[in-house]
Amino acid sequence: MYFNDQSIVFYNGKFIKAKDATANVYSQSLHYGNGVFEGIRAYNTENGAKIFKSFEHYKRLKHGAEVMNIQFNYTEDELTEITYELLKRNELKDAYIRPLITTGANMSLLTSTETNLMIQCWEWGKYMGDKLLRVKTSKFQRPNPNSCFVETKVTGHYVNSILSTNEAKAAGYDEALLLDMNGNVAECSGANVFMEKDGKLYTPPRGHIMAGITRATVLELCKEEGISVEEKHFTLEELKQADSCFFTGTAAEVVGLQSLDEYHFPLEWENSQGYKLMKLYKDEVLDVRKKAKAV
Ligand code: PMP
């Protein structure tokens, strides 16, 4: 699904066949989860392949490496250029892009001085599908922000996301919703959350969540379109009185919820602010809005 005999990856300065890429089995990333990754999308726009918010994604990747003390010297612009070249070599315009920084062999708990960079890409539809989601509140909480850097995509952090997703799927649900250590609603295992009440949107503030690039885009779209939105903590009980709810993320894009545990969101998705934002987001990533705004 992710690669075939022809697929090319960027690996430590070279474009090589994915099937020829090998990794060190003594890598600290494999043993202890000390690696950093990104999830980016490219869209086939009228002007060809366009990587959405490449600078912002690579800035977050670099920040992750920095806080983990991983030596990493590429600039955001260099990484963007490499990624466009990678898309071209794979003949992909609509693609999911996965940069991954791994560390070398080191069984001590000090960051290895060896760094590897790989960038992979593949064709990927909507990660959470097109249907409204049935979501389960997880028994797992988002990590305490004093225990790690919650705003970075460090590979090891994703064990928390895997635990909650496994739990939700095993119980017959589509996705998991996680609370923070204080009992407030935090986010989905791989996406941010917004709720709508009386026409106004609410989303948890930064602190216990991933500062999603899609979340920031949706906040910008709300501002531009005059949609009322507030960054504010809310509880599960409040969310279960909301009219509507949606998740945002690079892989998920903007996707509505049908239900949370036993609670069904009463507002028709097509009449919600989330639905409007789903359409606006699609136009934004396809560069259609900029053109419309310029006219
Ligand atoms: N929360 C978590 C835990 C994530 O892994 C992601 C995906 N990076 C998001 C939210 C959404 O972030 P973004 O919009 O930048 O993809």
Side-chain angles (χ1 to χ4, degrees):
M1 172 191 166
Y2 299 109
F3 71 100
N4 59 35
D5 282 355
Q6 307 311 318
S7 304
I8 306 286
V9 295
F10 180 82
Y11 197 9
N12 287 343
K14 294 195 186 101
F15 292 96
I16 61 168
K17 287 257 169 82
K19 65 182 170 71
D20 298 330
T22 55
N24 187 337
V25 292
Y26 295 89
S27 158
Q28 197 174 56
S29 307
L30 196 59
H31 289 254
Y32 302 138
N34 188 13
V36 190
F37 71 99
E38 258 309 317
I40 313 177
R41 268 192 195 271
Y43 290 90
N44 185 10
T45 73
E46 266 182 18
N47 302 315
K50 168 107 191 282
I51 304 170
F52 187 63
K53 301 216 166 166
S54 188
F55 190 90
E56 287 85 343
H57 281 282
Y58 279 125
K59 189 171 165 201
R60 186 166 67 187
L61 181 78
K62 281 168 65 69
H63 176 67
E66 194 183 315
V67 301
M68 294 310 294
N69 213 18
I70 297 172
Q71 289 169 23
F72 187 72
N73 299 321
Y74 286 94
T75 66
E76 288 88 347
D77 288 343
E78 284 167 345
L79 292 162
T80 300
E81 203 177 308
I82 292 165
T83 309
Y84 272 113
E85 179 61 26
L86 184 70
L87 289 172
K88 209 156 87 187
R89 290 185 187 228
N90 283 289
E91 295 178 14
L92 283 174
K93 289 186 172 147
D94 261 316
Y96 184 79
I97 299 154
R98 168 53 55 83
L100 171 66
I101 298 172
T102 64
T103 43
N106 186 351
M107 293 302 147
S108 88
L109 295 175
L110 195 64
T111 295
S112 154
T113 51
E114 181 193 319
T115 305
N116 304 289
L117 168 67
M118 58 189 91
I119 310 179
Q120 308 156 350
C121 59
W122 62 86
E123 234 175 304
W124 224 18
K126 267 198 132 186
Y127 173 65
M128 294 180 185
D130 272 328
K131 287 205 321 269
L132 295 182
L133 303 172
R134 294 173 54 254
V135 173
K136 175 175 168 49
T137 305
S138 179
K139 69 178 182 204
F140 299 101
Q141 294 177 339
R142 289 302 286 163
N144 178 337
N146 292 325
S147 70
C148 62
F149 292 94
V150 287
E151 292 196 355
T152 61
K153 289 180 80 75
V154 171
T155 54
H157 294 176
Y158 279 77
V159 169
N160 175 254
S161 297
I162 290 172
L163 284 170
S164 55
T165 307
N166 284 349
E167 180 199 13
K169 298 261 185 198
Y173 291 83
D174 301 313
E175 291 295 334
L177 179 83
L178 289 86
L179 307 183
D180 67 23
M181 57 184 278
N182 301 316
N184 290 312
V185 170
E187 59 186 328
C188 169
S189 51
N192 292 111
V193 61
F194 285 74
M195 73 166 182
E196 177 177 344
K197 181 75 183 169
D198 299 329
K200 182 170 173 178
L201 296 176
Y202 299 88
T203 193
R206 284 170 66 168
H208 295 261
I209 59 167
M210 171 71 58
I213 290 165
T214 318
R215 172 183 178 276
T217 307
V218 163
L219 289 173
E220 279 164 31
L221 288 170
C222 285
K223 206 161 149 195
E224 286 175 23
E225 297 292 325
I227 298 171
S228 179
V229 60
E230 192 181 337
E231 292 176 73
K232 175 180 169 292
H233 286 298
F234 50 86
T235 62
L236 195 58
E237 288 66 37
E238 286 172 286
L239 181 52
K240 288 186 181 178
Q241 286 166 21
D243 302 323
S244 182
C245 181
F246 60 93
F247 288 158
T248 64
T250 300
E253 302 180 310
V254 176
V255 58
L257 270 65
Q258 181 190 97
S259 60
L260 174 62
D261 304 326
E262 73 299 333
Y263 179 74
H264 280 247
F265 292 97
L267 188 63
E268 283 284 319
W269 174 238
E270 285 73 15
N271 297 329
S272 72
Q273 302 285 20
Y275 182 77
K276 208 184 290 175
L277 285 157
M278 182 182 83
K279 303 219 140 188
L280 289 166
Y281 183 74
K282 197 86 225 175
D283 288 349
E284 182 72 18
V285 297
L286 290 174
D287 252 354
V288 180
R289 265 172 61 77
K290 286 200 184 77
K291 219 166 84 184
K293 275 190 283 183
V295 174

PDB file of all heavy atoms in Angstrom, residues 138-163:
ATOM      1  N   SER A 138     -11.715   7.830  25.308  1.00  0.00           N
ATOM      2  CA  SER A 138     -10.695   6.860  25.694  1.00  0.00           C
ATOM      3  C   SER A 138     -10.460   6.863  27.199  1.00  0.00           C
ATOM      4  O   SER A 138     -10.598   7.885  27.865  1.00  0.00           O
ATOM      5  CB  SER A 138      -9.386   7.199  24.984  1.00  0.00           C
ATOM      6  OG  SER A 138      -8.393   6.278  25.359  1.00  0.00           O
ATOM      7  N   LYS A 139     -10.042   5.700  27.702  1.00  0.00           N
ATOM      8  CA  LYS A 139      -9.617   5.674  29.109  1.00  0.00           C
ATOM      9  C   LYS A 139      -8.178   6.206  29.230  1.00  0.00           C
ATOM     10  O   LYS A 139      -7.697   6.482  30.322  1.00  0.00           O
ATOM     11  CB  LYS A 139      -9.717   4.252  29.668  1.00  0.00           C
ATOM     12  CG  LYS A 139      -8.715   3.278  29.093  1.00  0.00           C
ATOM     13  CD  LYS A 139      -8.858   1.906  29.747  1.00  0.00           C
ATOM     14  CE  LYS A 139      -7.815   0.954  29.191  1.00  0.00           C
ATOM     15  NZ  LYS A 139      -8.167  -0.434  29.285  1.00  0.00           N
ATOM     16  N   PHE A 140      -7.490   6.336  28.097  1.00  0.00           N
ATOM     17  CA  PHE A 140      -6.127   6.895  28.120  1.00  0.00           C
ATOM     18  C   PHE A 140      -6.202   8.406  27.988  1.00  0.00           C
ATOM     19  O   PHE A 140      -6.952   8.928  27.166  1.00  0.00           O
ATOM     20  CB  PHE A 140      -5.288   6.315  26.970  1.00  0.00           C
ATOM     21  CG  PHE A 140      -5.144   4.823  27.057  1.00  0.00           C
ATOM     22  CD1 PHE A 140      -5.922   3.983  26.266  1.00  0.00           C
ATOM     23  CD2 PHE A 140      -4.254   4.261  27.959  1.00  0.00           C
ATOM     24  CE1 PHE A 140      -5.809   2.602  26.366  1.00  0.00           C
ATOM     25  CE2 PHE A 140      -4.136   2.874  28.066  1.00  0.00           C
ATOM     26  CZ  PHE A 140      -4.918   2.051  27.265  1.00  0.00           C
ATOM     27  N   GLN A 141      -5.386   9.111  28.786  1.00  0.00           N
ATOM     28  CA  GLN A 141      -5.343  10.575  28.705  1.00  0.00           C
ATOM     29  C   GLN A 141      -4.188  11.002  27.811  1.00  0.00           C
ATOM     30  O   GLN A 141      -3.242  10.247  27.611  1.00  0.00           O
ATOM     31  CB  GLN A 141      -5.053  11.167  30.088  1.00  0.00           C
ATOM     32  CG  GLN A 141      -6.127  10.945  31.096  1.00  0.00           C
ATOM     33  CD  GLN A 141      -5.721  11.512  32.458  1.00  0.00           C
ATOM     34  OE1 GLN A 141      -4.544  11.706  32.750  1.00  0.00           O
ATOM     35  NE2 GLN A 141      -6.706  11.765  33.283  1.00  0.00           N
ATOM     36  N   ARG A 142      -4.245  12.248  27.327  1.00  0.00           N
ATOM     37  CA  ARG A 142      -3.083  12.825  26.648  1.00  0.00           C
ATOM     38  C   ARG A 142      -1.975  12.976  27.696  1.00  0.00           C
ATOM     39  O   ARG A 142      -2.247  13.186  28.883  1.00  0.00           O
ATOM     40  CB  ARG A 142      -3.413  14.198  26.040  1.00  0.00           C
ATOM     41  CG  ARG A 142      -4.324  14.131  24.840  1.00  0.00           C
ATOM     42  CD  ARG A 142      -3.757  13.285  23.713  1.00  0.00           C
ATOM     43  NE  ARG A 142      -2.667  13.939  23.002  1.00  0.00           N
ATOM     44  CZ  ARG A 142      -1.801  13.298  22.210  1.00  0.00           C
ATOM     45  NH1 ARG A 142      -1.864  11.978  22.057  1.00  0.00           N
ATOM     46  NH2 ARG A 142      -0.870  13.956  21.586  1.00  0.00           N
ATOM     47  N   PRO A 143      -0.703  12.876  27.258  1.00  0.00           N
ATOM     48  CA  PRO A 143       0.383  12.943  28.248  1.00  0.00           C
ATOM     49  C   PRO A 143       0.475  14.292  28.962  1.00  0.00           C
ATOM     50  O   PRO A 143       0.101  15.328  28.395  1.00  0.00           O
ATOM     51  CB  PRO A 143       1.642  12.699  27.421  1.00  0.00           C
ATOM     52  CG  PRO A 143       1.232  12.506  26.022  1.00  0.00           C
ATOM     53  CD  PRO A 143      -0.241  12.649  25.899  1.00  0.00           C
ATOM     54  N   ASN A 144       0.939  14.218  30.182  1.00  0.00           N
ATOM     55  CA  ASN A 144       1.211  15.427  30.970  1.00  0.00           C
ATOM     56  C   ASN A 144       2.252  16.267  30.223  1.00  0.00           C
ATOM     57  O   ASN A 144       3.324  15.756  29.886  1.00  0.00           O
ATOM     58  CB  ASN A 144       1.763  14.941  32.326  1.00  0.00           C
ATOM     59  CG  ASN A 144       2.146  16.066  33.249  1.00  0.00           C
ATOM     60  OD1 ASN A 144       2.413  17.182  32.803  1.00  0.00           O
ATOM     61  ND2 ASN A 144       2.176  15.774  34.539  1.00  0.00           N
ATOM     62  N   PRO A 145       1.965  17.534  29.934  1.00  0.00           N
ATOM     63  CA  PRO A 145       2.924  18.354  29.179  1.00  0.00           C
ATOM     64  C   PRO A 145       4.253  18.549  29.898  1.00  0.00           C
ATOM     65  O   PRO A 145       5.227  18.971  29.280  1.00  0.00           O
ATOM     66  CB  PRO A 145       2.212  19.694  28.972  1.00  0.00           C
ATOM     67  CG  PRO A 145       0.930  19.604  29.679  1.00  0.00           C
ATOM     68  CD  PRO A 145       0.720  18.234  30.226  1.00  0.00           C
ATOM     69  N   ASN A 146       4.304  18.212  31.193  1.00  0.00           N
ATOM     70  CA  ASN A 146       5.592  18.271  31.888  1.00  0.00           C
ATOM     71  C   ASN A 146       6.388  16.973  31.734  1.00  0.00           C
ATOM     72  O   ASN A 146       7.499  16.862  32.249  1.00  0.00           O
ATOM     73  CB  ASN A 146       5.383  18.559  33.383  1.00  0.00           C
ATOM     74  CG  ASN A 146       4.857  19.965  33.592  1.00  0.00           C
ATOM     75  OD1 ASN A 146       5.224  20.881  32.856  1.00  0.00           O
ATOM     76  ND2 ASN A 146       3.974  20.137  34.562  1.00  0.00           N
ATOM     77  N   SER A 147       5.802  15.980  31.048  1.00  0.00           N
ATOM     78  CA  SER A 147       6.515  14.707  30.874  1.00  0.00           C
ATOM     79  C   SER A 147       7.174  14.609  29.500  1.00  0.00           C
ATOM     80  O   SER A 147       7.994  13.737  29.265  1.00  0.00           O
ATOM     81  CB  SER A 147       5.561  13.528  31.071  1.00  0.00           C
ATOM     82  OG  SER A 147       4.646  13.462  29.997  1.00  0.00           O
ATOM     83  N   CYS A 148       6.764  15.474  28.576  1.00  0.00           N
ATOM     84  CA  CYS A 148       7.321  15.431  27.222  1.00  0.00           C
ATOM     85  C   CYS A 148       6.911  16.724  26.510  1.00  0.00           C
ATOM     86  O   CYS A 148       6.213  17.554  27.084  1.00  0.00           O
ATOM     87  CB  CYS A 148       6.772  14.227  26.462  1.00  0.00           C
ATOM     88  SG  CYS A 148       4.981  14.278  26.259  1.00  0.00           S
ATOM     89  N   PHE A 149       7.341  16.868  25.268  1.00  0.00           N
ATOM     90  CA  PHE A 149       6.944  18.056  24.492  1.00  0.00           C
ATOM     91  C   PHE A 149       5.712  17.670  23.664  1.00  0.00           C
ATOM     92  O   PHE A 149       5.846  17.105  22.584  1.00  0.00           O
ATOM     93  CB  PHE A 149       8.101  18.522  23.610  1.00  0.00           C
ATOM     94  CG  PHE A 149       9.251  19.076  24.405  1.00  0.00           C
ATOM     95  CD1 PHE A 149      10.313  18.271  24.780  1.00  0.00           C
ATOM     96  CD2 PHE A 149       9.246  20.406  24.814  1.00  0.00           C
ATOM     97  CE1 PHE A 149      11.366  18.780  25.537  1.00  0.00           C
ATOM     98  CE2 PHE A 149      10.292  20.921  25.566  1.00  0.00           C
ATOM     99  CZ  PHE A 149      11.345  20.107  25.932  1.00  0.00           C
ATOM    100  N   VAL A 150       4.533  17.971  24.197  1.00  0.00           N
ATOM    101  CA  VAL A 150       3.305  17.477  23.555  1.00  0.00           C
ATOM    102  C   VAL A 150       3.059  18.069  22.168  1.00  0.00           C
ATOM    103  O   VAL A 150       2.292  17.526  21.392  1.00  0.00           O
ATOM    104  CB  VAL A 150       2.023  17.720  24.406  1.00  0.00           C
ATOM    105  CG1 VAL A 150       1.965  16.801  25.591  1.00  0.00           C
ATOM    106  CG2 VAL A 150       1.885  19.172  24.824  1.00  0.00           C
ATOM    107  N   GLU A 151       3.705  19.200  21.874  1.00  0.00           N
ATOM    108  CA  GLU A 151       3.472  19.833  20.566  1.00  0.00           C
ATOM    109  C   GLU A 151       4.430  19.316  19.495  1.00  0.00           C
ATOM    110  O   GLU A 151       4.458  19.857  18.395  1.00  0.00           O
ATOM    111  CB  GLU A 151       3.580  21.361  20.687  1.00  0.00           C
ATOM    112  CG  GLU A 151       2.453  21.950  21.516  1.00  0.00           C
ATOM    113  CD  GLU A 151       2.304  23.456  21.348  1.00  0.00           C
ATOM    114  OE1 GLU A 151       3.140  24.068  20.650  1.00  0.00           O
ATOM    115  OE2 GLU A 151       1.347  24.007  21.903  1.00  0.00           O
ATOM    116  N   THR A 152       5.242  18.317  19.833  1.00  0.00           N
ATOM    117  CA  THR A 152       6.169  17.795  18.828  1.00  0.00           C
ATOM    118  C   THR A 152       5.742  16.396  18.410  1.00  0.00           C
ATOM    119  O   THR A 152       5.155  15.657  19.196  1.00  0.00           O
ATOM    120  CB  THR A 152       7.605  17.713  19.388  1.00  0.00           C
ATOM    121  OG1 THR A 152       7.585  16.825  20.502  1.00  0.00           O
ATOM    122  CG2 THR A 152       8.118  19.068  19.805  1.00  0.00           C
ATOM    123  N   LYS A 153       6.078  16.062  17.165  1.00  0.00           N
ATOM    124  CA  LYS A 153       5.712  14.729  16.674  1.00  0.00           C
ATOM    125  C   LYS A 153       6.895  13.783  16.887  1.00  0.00           C
ATOM    126  O   LYS A 153       7.528  13.314  15.946  1.00  0.00           O
ATOM    127  CB  LYS A 153       5.287  14.815  15.208  1.00  0.00           C
ATOM    128  CG  LYS A 153       3.939  15.523  15.046  1.00  0.00           C
ATOM    129  CD  LYS A 153       3.495  15.632  13.625  1.00  0.00           C
ATOM    130  CE  LYS A 153       2.880  14.372  13.090  1.00  0.00           C
ATOM    131  NZ  LYS A 153       1.518  14.128  13.583  1.00  0.00           N
ATOM    132  N   VAL A 154       7.173  13.534  18.165  1.00  0.00           N
ATOM    133  CA  VAL A 154       8.228  12.577  18.526  1.00  0.00           C
ATOM    134  C   VAL A 154       7.607  11.179  18.400  1.00  0.00           C
ATOM    135  O   VAL A 154       6.492  10.951  18.881  1.00  0.00           O
ATOM    136  CB  VAL A 154       8.730  12.856  19.964  1.00  0.00           C
ATOM    137  CG1 VAL A 154       9.665  11.752  20.442  1.00  0.00           C
ATOM    138  CG2 VAL A 154       9.424  14.211  20.014  1.00  0.00           C
ATOM    139  N   THR A 155       8.307  10.267  17.741  1.00  0.00           N
ATOM    140  CA  THR A 155       7.700   8.967  17.412  1.00  0.00           C
ATOM    141  C   THR A 155       7.157   8.252  18.657  1.00  0.00           C
ATOM    142  O   THR A 155       6.045   7.742  18.630  1.00  0.00           O
ATOM    143  CB  THR A 155       8.710   8.058  16.679  1.00  0.00           C
ATOM    144  OG1 THR A 155       9.889   7.963  17.470  1.00  0.00           O
ATOM    145  CG2 THR A 155       9.085   8.599  15.317  1.00  0.00           C
ATOM    146  N   GLY A 156       7.918   8.254  19.743  1.00  0.00           N
ATOM    147  CA  GLY A 156       7.523   7.543  20.960  1.00  0.00           C
ATOM    148  C   GLY A 156       6.199   8.020  21.541  1.00  0.00           C
ATOM    149  O   GLY A 156       5.471   7.243  22.171  1.00  0.00           O
ATOM    150  N   HIS A 157       5.865   9.296  21.311  1.00  0.00           N
ATOM    151  CA  HIS A 157       4.596   9.814  21.862  1.00  0.00           C
ATOM    152  C   HIS A 157       3.392   9.088  21.270  1.00  0.00           C
ATOM    153  O   HIS A 157       2.308   9.108  21.850  1.00  0.00           O
ATOM    154  CB  HIS A 157       4.412  11.294  21.518  1.00  0.00           C
ATOM    155  CG  HIS A 157       5.410  12.202  22.156  1.00  0.00           C
ATOM    156  ND1 HIS A 157       5.451  13.547  21.892  1.00  0.00           N
ATOM    157  CD2 HIS A 157       6.404  11.966  23.033  1.00  0.00           C
ATOM    158  CE1 HIS A 157       6.423  14.098  22.590  1.00  0.00           C
ATOM    159  NE2 HIS A 157       7.022  13.154  23.281  1.00  0.00           N
ATOM    160  N   TYR A 158       3.580   8.482  20.115  1.00  0.00           N
ATOM    161  CA  TYR A 158       2.433   7.932  19.391  1.00  0.00           C
ATOM    162  C   TYR A 158       1.949   6.592  19.938  1.00  0.00           C
ATOM    163  O   TYR A 158       0.927   6.065  19.493  1.00  0.00           O
ATOM    164  CB  TYR A 158       2.704   7.947  17.873  1.00  0.00           C
ATOM    165  CG  TYR A 158       2.409   9.355  17.403  1.00  0.00           C
ATOM    166  CD1 TYR A 158       3.314  10.387  17.633  1.00  0.00           C
ATOM    167  CD2 TYR A 158       1.166   9.687  16.886  1.00  0.00           C
ATOM    168  CE1 TYR A 158       2.994  11.700  17.317  1.00  0.00           C
ATOM    169  CE2 TYR A 158       0.841  10.987  16.566  1.00  0.00           C
ATOM    170  CZ  TYR A 158       1.761  11.984  16.787  1.00  0.00           C
ATOM    171  OH  TYR A 158       1.423  13.286  16.489  1.00  0.00           O
ATOM    172  N   VAL A 159       2.650   6.071  20.943  1.00  0.00           N
ATOM    173  CA  VAL A 159       2.143   4.878  21.627  1.00  0.00           C
ATOM    174  C   VAL A 159       0.807   5.238  22.293  1.00  0.00           C
ATOM    175  O   VAL A 159      -0.135   4.447  22.289  1.00  0.00           O
ATOM    176  CB  VAL A 159       3.182   4.396  22.665  1.00  0.00           C
ATOM    177  CG1 VAL A 159       2.592   3.333  23.563  1.00  0.00           C
ATOM    178  CG2 VAL A 159       4.412   3.854  21.952  1.00  0.00           C
ATOM    179  N   ASN A 160       0.703   6.434  22.816  1.00  0.00           N
ATOM    180  CA  ASN A 160      -0.540   6.910  23.434  1.00  0.00           C
ATOM    181  C   ASN A 160      -1.687   6.919  22.397  1.00  0.00           C
ATOM    182  O   ASN A 160      -2.809   6.484  22.687  1.00  0.00           O
ATOM    183  CB  ASN A 160      -0.293   8.317  24.007  1.00  0.00           C
ATOM    184  CG  ASN A 160      -1.539   8.975  24.566  1.00  0.00           C
ATOM    185  OD1 ASN A 160      -2.075   9.888  23.947  1.00  0.00           O
ATOM    186  ND2 ASN A 160      -1.999   8.535  25.714  1.00  0.00           N
ATOM    187  N   SER A 161      -1.378   7.368  21.183  1.00  0.00           N
ATOM    188  CA  SER A 161      -2.390   7.414  20.117  1.00  0.00           C
ATOM    189  C   SER A 161      -2.782   6.002  19.688  1.00  0.00           C
ATOM    190  O   SER A 161      -3.954   5.731  19.404  1.00  0.00           O
ATOM    191  CB  SER A 161      -1.841   8.178  18.907  1.00  0.00           C
ATOM    192  OG  SER A 161      -1.571   9.516  19.270  1.00  0.00           O
ATOM    193  N   ILE A 162      -1.793   5.102  19.638  1.00  0.00           N
ATOM    194  CA  ILE A 162      -2.074   3.723  19.229  1.00  0.00           C
ATOM    195  C   ILE A 162      -2.941   3.019  20.282  1.00  0.00           C
ATOM    196  O   ILE A 162      -3.918   2.338  19.957  1.00  0.00           O
ATOM    197  CB  ILE A 162      -0.751   2.957  18.965  1.00  0.00           C
ATOM    198  CG1 ILE A 162      -0.088   3.514  17.685  1.00  0.00           C
ATOM    199  CG2 ILE A 162      -0.987   1.454  18.848  1.00  0.00           C
ATOM    200  CD1 ILE A 162       1.310   2.983  17.408  1.00  0.00           C
ATOM    201  N   LEU A 163      -2.620   3.224  21.562  1.00  0.00           N
ATOM    202  CA  LEU A 163      -3.417   2.603  22.635  1.00  0.00           C
ATOM    203  C   LEU A 163      -4.882   3.030  22.552  1.00  0.00           C
ATOM    204  O   LEU A 163      -5.790   2.198  22.628  1.00  0.00           O
ATOM    205  CB  LEU A 163      -2.859   3.018  24.009  1.00  0.00           C
ATOM    206  CG  LEU A 163      -1.582   2.330  24.463  1.00  0.00           C
ATOM    207  CD1 LEU A 163      -1.027   3.020  25.715  1.00  0.00           C
ATOM    208  CD2 LEU A 163      -1.824   0.849  24.735  1.00  0.00           C
TER     209      LEU A 163
END
